């Protein structure tokens, strides 16, 4: 809002406000400053009245409509679930009636729910803050979420070394899971080959789904696209990769190459097969639901991950084991809550691949390029547990720095041009010898 004098006897008043995100700047000329001030006050009251009618549900609807154009279908479903399930009491409230104390009470109720992890609770809190931040820009209301804090972890001395990773599979565990996969149908063959290729390459699920036969030559995958799964009814539609660094080439081992050749021999007999077909699916890539269901069934069939209720010791089926957003479940027999162990996700094939490479001595920079990370810092952040192991090995070798090799014999002036290392012994380095004086 501003009022400026025009000439000797006129005043121009300009109002500025937003309606549903659209900037409006009405102006009017008056012959007295008093009339201009009165008009400005009226415009402010209208703006405040318009903002006062906006509810949190209006902000949620606008936020979801904006996200529909920028995120994948799975991500949008997760956002909608969080907004509807955890913010249901906020939705009917007017934005002007939501105060910081209101959100603090809401946060406390969320934090007190033990069945959800701290990470998931923080995702919900950050989503709430994002909605309020957008509403503050669109309707020029005060953001009450600025002081809303995420859940902080309190450590008693030891840090969880696998904080950033859900579950790392060993080679033996993967072999049992892979051998448990059936090959009865055509879809079984596609899924089994996809799981093997994911273990051998460490690519993202969407990158693997988008692979066509023309993208694979002599044991090398060329990744240029990703099948996001956000396009309903059109699984064959491809999107760009997650980052520019994700466009890359990945070599595979001989065993994986043999398995893919076996798959090619099978699909070559299918009528109409051509290099443009998807390697894992044929005319269309496999759906996310199919991939996850087959993966979970393989985990159960392997016999490695059988969990029982801590109260009645009843074995839980795979639907209980892999609840997406909870680390506990109600036992179907005794009806009591039992805590679930860390689940094994399909994405953990990627983490296991990278962890095994790093533990085998492959430079982190090479692993970062293979994974398609935007920077090596991302790799170091995700695989902190691996770098901590390397630090421990380094600490164990630090005492070796206190020993140096020195010559036992003095050479004559004629021999100094070509020094001879005849005998070596370990001795304390002069700069670190505690008995050294001066």
């Amino acid at each position: 809002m501003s009022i400026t004098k025009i000439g000797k006897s006129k005043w121009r008043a300009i109002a500025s406000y937003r309606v549903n995100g659209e900037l409006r700047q009405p102006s009017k000329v008056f012959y007295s400053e008093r009339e201009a001030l009165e008009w400005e006050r009226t415009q402010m009251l209208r703006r405040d009245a318009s903002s006062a009618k906006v509810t949190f549900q209006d902000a949620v609807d606008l936020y979801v409509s904006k996200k529909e154009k920028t995120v994948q279908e799975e991500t949008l479903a997760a956002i909608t679930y969080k907004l509807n399930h955890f913010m249901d009491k906020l939705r009917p409230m007017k934005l002007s009636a939501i105060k910081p104390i209101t959100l603090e009470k809401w946060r406390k109720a969320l934090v007190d729910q033990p069945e959800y992890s701290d990470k998931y609770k923080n995702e919900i809190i950050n989503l709430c803050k994002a909605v309020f931040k957008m509403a503050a820009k669109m309707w020029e209301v005060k953001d009450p979420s600025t002081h809303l804090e995420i859940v902080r972890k309190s450590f008693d001395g030891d840090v969880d070394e696998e904080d950033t990773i859900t579950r790392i599979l060993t080679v033996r565990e993967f072999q049992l899971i892979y051998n448990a996969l059936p090959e009865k149908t055509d879809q079984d063959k596609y899924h089994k080959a996809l799981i093997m290729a994911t273990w051998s390459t460490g690519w993202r699920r969407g990158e693997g789904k988008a692979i066509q036969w023309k993208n694979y030559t002599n044991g090398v995958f060329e990744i240029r696209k990703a099948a996001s799964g956000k396009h309903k009814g059109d699984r064959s539609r491809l999107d760009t990769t997650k980052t520019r660094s994700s466009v890359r080439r990945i070599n595979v081992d001989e065993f994986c190459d043999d398995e893919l050749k076996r798959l090619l021999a099978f699909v070559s007999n299918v009528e109409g097969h051509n290099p443009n077909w998807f390697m894992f699916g044929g005319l269309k890539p496999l759906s996310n639901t199919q991939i996850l269901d087959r993966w979970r069934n393989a985990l159960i069939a392997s016999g490695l991950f059988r969990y029982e209720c801590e109260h009645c010791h009843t074995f839980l089926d795979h639907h209980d084991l892999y609840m997406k957003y909870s680390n506990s479940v109600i036992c179907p027999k005794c009806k009591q809550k039992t805590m679930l162990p860390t689940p094994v996700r399909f994405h953990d094939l990627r983490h296991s691949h990278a962890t095994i490479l790093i533990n085998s001595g492959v430079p982190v920079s090479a692993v970062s390029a293979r994974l398609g990370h935007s920077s090596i810092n991302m790799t170091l952040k995700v695989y902190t547990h691996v770098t901590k192991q390397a630090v421990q090995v380094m600490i164990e070798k630090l005492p070796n720095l206190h020993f140096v090799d020195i010559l036992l014999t003095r050479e004559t002036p004629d021999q100094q041009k070509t020094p001879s290392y005849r005998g070596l012994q370990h001795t304390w380095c002069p700069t670190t010898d505690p008995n050294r004086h001066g």
Side-chain angles (χ1 to χ4, degrees):
M1 304 281 183
S2 64
I3 298 177
T4 56
K5 189 174 183 180
I6 304 176
K8 295 182 179 180
S9 59
K10 293 182 180 181
W11 301 82
R12 180 188 297 275
I14 302 177
S16 179
Y17 55 89
R18 293 181 181 272
V19 177
N20 294 333
E22 180 182 352
L23 180 64
R24 296 187 182 181
Q25 292 181 314
S27 63
K28 195 172 183 179
V29 177
F30 299 90
Y31 286 95
S32 68
E33 185 179 7
R34 183 182 61 81
E35 292 177 335
L37 289 172
E38 185 64 29
W39 180 85
E40 181 188 46
R41 191 176 300 110
T42 303
Q43 293 298 317
M44 292 178 65
L45 290 174
R46 288 180 178 176
R47 181 198 66 182
D48 295 341
S50 175
S51 301
K53 296 178 182 178
V54 179
T55 64
F56 185 74
Q57 181 63 55
D58 297 329
V60 166
D61 293 340
L62 184 60
Y63 183 83
V64 172
S65 65
K66 288 179 174 293
K67 286 295 181 181
E68 286 178 347
K69 304 175 183 178
T70 58
V71 301
Q72 299 181 5
E73 182 180 348
E74 289 182 341
T75 305
L76 182 64
I79 290 174
T80 305
Y81 175 83
K82 294 171 188 174
L83 291 170
N84 294 336
H85 187 73
F86 296 99
M87 305 180 199
D88 53 327
K89 294 184 178 179
L90 297 175
R91 291 207 308 268
M93 298 179 64
K94 295 180 179 179
L95 291 179
S96 58
I98 301 178
K99 306 299 181 183
I101 187 62
T102 308
L103 293 181
E104 192 59 35
K105 292 179 180 179
W106 168 81
R107 177 188 178 278
K108 186 178 184 305
L110 174 66
V111 173
D112 289 342
Q113 300 185 48
E115 62 268 28
Y116 301 105
S117 65
D118 289 345
K119 179 182 177 182
Y120 189 61
K121 292 173 184 175
N122 287 335
E123 290 177 0
I124 298 169
I125 293 172
N126 288 329
L127 178 60
C128 180
K129 291 169 69 74
V131 174
F132 276 108
K133 184 178 180 180
M134 181 213 65
K137 292 181 179 179
M138 299 299 288
W139 290 287
E140 292 189 344
V141 295
K142 189 174 181 180
D143 185 357
S145 68
T146 52
H147 300 292
L148 199 62
E149 294 185 354
I150 61 174
V151 181
R152 304 288 181 182
K153 292 188 177 182
S154 58
F155 299 109
D156 297 328
D158 295 330
V159 180
D160 184 5
E161 293 191 348
E162 293 192 13
D163 220 11
T164 57
I165 305 295
T166 300
R167 180 70 158 77
I168 299 300
L169 292 172
T170 65
V171 176
R172 176 58 179 165
E173 288 175 337
F174 175 75
Q175 289 175 343
L176 292 174
I177 295 170
Y178 183 73
N179 293 333
L181 290 165
E183 290 189 66
K184 297 179 180 179
T185 65
D186 296 352
Q187 291 295 309
D188 289 340
K189 294 181 174 64
Y190 286 131
H191 283 92
K192 191 166 186 176
L194 174 62
I195 290 175
M196 169 55 69
T198 304
W199 169 264
S200 301
T201 61
W203 59 28
R204 301 177 181 91
R205 183 178 62 198
E207 296 171 347
K209 289 169 54 181
I211 289 294
Q212 298 168 295
W213 283 106
K214 64 181 180 182
N215 302 134
Y216 183 70
T217 308
N218 298 327
V220 180
F221 282 107
E222 187 173 5
I223 298 177
R224 293 189 173 276
K225 295 289 184 179
S228 63
K230 71 178 182 179
H231 308 293
K232 285 188 176 181
D234 189 8
R235 293 206 308 265
S236 59
R237 182 175 174 180
L238 302 181
D239 300 306
T240 57
T241 54
K242 188 174 183 179
T243 64
R244 290 185 178 181
S245 303
S246 300
V247 178
R248 62 200 188 279
R249 293 184 178 183
I250 303 179
N251 297 70
V252 298
D253 55 89
E254 294 182 3
F255 184 83
C256 180
D257 185 48
D258 291 340
E259 292 296 292
L260 295 176
K261 288 179 179 177
R262 192 160 65 94
L263 178 63
L264 178 60
F266 161 72
V267 299
S268 298
N269 297 324
V270 179
E271 184 178 355
H273 170 74
N274 62 74
N276 292 321
W277 275 25
F278 292 96
M279 180 176 286
F280 312 108
L283 291 174
K284 294 182 179 180
L286 300 172
S287 70
N288 292 331
T289 303
Q290 292 174 334
I291 293 173
L292 298 182
D293 284 344
R294 301 293 178 101
W295 171 248
R296 292 165 181 168
N297 291 338
L299 292 177
I300 300 300
S302 68
L304 289 172
F305 310 100
R306 295 193 70 194
Y307 306 117
E308 61 181 27
C309 173
E310 59 190 32
H311 304 288
C312 65
H313 305 289
T314 301
F315 282 105
L316 306 173
D317 61 29
H318 71 281
H319 295 292
D320 298 324
L321 292 175
Y322 301 98
M323 294 186 70
K324 191 171 184 181
Y325 300 119
S326 177
N327 54 13
S328 66
V329 69
I330 302 299
C331 176
K333 184 177 181 180
C334 66
K335 307 301 181 184
Q336 294 191 51
K337 182 183 294 186
T338 182
M339 301 303 294
L340 290 177
T342 302
V344 185
R345 309 167 303 171
F346 185 88
H347 192 69
D348 289 329
L349 290 170
R350 173 176 168 86
H351 290 319
S352 301
H353 175 85
T355 301
I356 292 174
L357 289 181
I358 295 175
N359 284 337
S360 301
V362 178
V364 178
S365 57
V367 176
S368 180
R370 185 174 179 86
L371 296 178
H373 283 164
S374 56
S375 68
I376 191 174
N377 292 332
M378 175 61 70
T379 311
L380 292 172
K381 178 180 178 182
V382 174
Y383 299 97
T384 304
H385 69 292
V386 183
T387 55
K388 285 180 180 178
Q389 295 172 4
V391 169
Q392 184 60 38
V393 173
M394 177 190 68
I395 292 174
E396 294 173 356
K397 294 183 178 181
L398 280 178
N400 295 337
L401 298 178
H402 295 288
F403 293 96
V404 294
D405 294 329
I406 64 170
L407 294 175
L408 283 182
T409 58
R410 289 180 176 272
E411 304 291 349
T412 62
D414 295 335
Q415 295 173 320
Q416 287 180 356
K417 295 181 181 180
T418 57
S420 173
Y421 297 87
R422 297 176 183 174
L424 301 174
Q425 77 173 22
H426 291 295
T427 184
W428 284 103
C429 177
T431 59
T432 60
D433 190 351
N435 298 321
R436 179 178 178 267
H437 301 283

